[in-house]
Amino acid sequence: MQLKPGNVEEYRARHDAIWPELSALLTESGVRDYAIFLDEETHALFAVMNPTPDARLEALPDHPVMRRWWDWMAPLMEVEADNRPCEWPLQLMFRMD
């Protein structure tokens, strides 16, 4: 994902005060060990999560709480026409378990 310049502190503040209903939705959907990292030079955001084996992540983009969150975060980030954050897949270069 890509954060727009000048929005680092606001992005962090909004996540520090994540809505209880969004946190519950993510947990109920099977999201675990979720973290977002920032590359301070490029403002690239890198998210990592370990979903449960029975996670239902495919339903999240259509949930009203997720839609409201995306709308609220849209001014801070590069987004698609529907305010979903722009995402780019990364190629796995190395893994050690």
Side-chain angles (χ1 to χ4, degrees):
M1 298 176 289
Q2 186 67 43
L3 190 61
K4 293 177 181 175
N7 290 303
V8 172
E9 293 309 317
E10 183 62 22
Y11 184 88
R12 184 186 316 272
R14 290 183 186 194
H15 280 82
D16 285 348
I18 193 169
W19 304 338
E21 62 268 31
L22 179 58
S23 184
L25 172 64
L26 294 173
T27 299
E28 291 164 8
S29 298
V31 173
R32 299 292 184 277
D33 192 22
Y34 185 30
I36 301 173
F37 299 90
L38 171 69
D39 179 323
E40 294 182 62
E41 186 175 315
T42 66
H43 293 98
L45 297 167
F46 178 74
V48 178
M49 76 170 96
N50 292 308
T52 60
D54 61 341
R56 298 173 314 279
L57 304 180
E58 66 282 346
L60 286 174
D62 296 321
H63 196 283
V65 172
M66 183 61 68
R67 304 297 313 183
R68 278 193 355 254
W69 179 261
W70 286 348
D71 291 346
W72 194 53
M73 297 299 290
L76 308 180
M77 308 173 66
E78 298 296 330
V79 295
E80 304 291 348
D82 63 356
N83 283 344
R84 180 184 189 131
C86 291
E87 298 175 335
W88 299 269
L90 300 176
Q91 180 180 0
L92 178 63
M93 299 297 289
F94 173 78
R95 178 183 212 134
M96 186 173 132
D97 291 321

